[in-house]
Amino acid sequence: MTDRRAFLSTLAGGLLAAPIAAAAQSGSKVHRVGYLSTAGSVFEPFRQGLRELGYVEGQNLVLDVRLAHGRLDRLPALAAELVRMRPDVIAAVSSPAIRATKQATTTIPIVMAFSGDDPVFCQELSSTRRQHHWRGDDCR
């Protein structure tokens, strides 16, 4: 019975390790995503959405999460910290987080989420044309 369990454990371990080793050998890109928000209430749905799209932490995704916990005065420093980490993209969740991220970078793409505001009207964007580092459903 013990030999059977050992055999099945070895077989299962090998089957699980094979795709990971193959991904490592093929040079699969690990995506680094920054996440900045005033609170953490929508972070888990964000993470789950990425997982559903095939982006899994520890495999092909690194999430750098910074939360201000309601202290808006912390957002500029948190945004600057994310920029220093050189993520591929920053998801800014809330209008104050979007503004802080915009002030921190002009080169890293920013995904605006849950702003509830018109980004042009609020002067977060001068227009939706030629804003190459901005992405989001508010930018059409």
Side-chain angles (χ1 to χ4, degrees):
M1 187 72 152
T2 304
D3 291 320
R4 181 176 172 195
R5 284 186 189 156
F7 172 76
L8 291 175
S9 296
T10 303
L11 179 62
L15 290 174
L16 292 174
I20 296 169
Q25 289 175 358
S26 69
S28 296
K29 178 170 174 47
V30 175
H31 302 277
R32 179 171 226 105
V33 175
Y35 180 93
L36 180 64
S37 182
T38 53
S41 58
V42 295
F43 177 67
E44 279 307 316
F46 176 78
R47 180 186 286 173
Q48 180 61 35
L50 288 172
R51 202 175 297 128
E52 290 170 7
L53 293 170
Y55 298 100
V56 180
E57 286 180 276
Q59 291 181 11
N60 60 355
L61 177 67
V62 173
L63 285 174
D64 296 316
V65 180
R66 298 296 179 269
L67 304 174
H69 299 289
R71 294 191 45 210
L72 302 183
D73 60 308
R74 295 184 62 212
L75 287 170
L78 294 172
E81 186 178 330
L82 280 175
V83 169
R84 284 191 298 272
M85 300 174 103
R86 301 181 59 157
D88 298 308
V89 65
I90 297 175
V93 184
S94 78
S95 293
I98 293 166
R99 281 190 288 280
T101 306
K102 179 189 173 203
Q103 291 172 353
T105 184
T106 59
T107 57
I108 298 171
I110 301 167
V111 176
M112 301 183 331
F114 307 110
S115 75
D117 298 325
D118 179 339
V120 175
F121 179 77
C122 295
Q123 299 179 351
E124 291 164 3
L125 297 175
S126 57
S127 76
T128 56
R129 299 179 71 191
R130 298 187 196 209
Q131 298 291 333
H132 300 291
H133 77 288
W134 287 92
R135 302 287 183 265
D137 57 359
D138 288 338
C139 294
R140 291 179 179 83

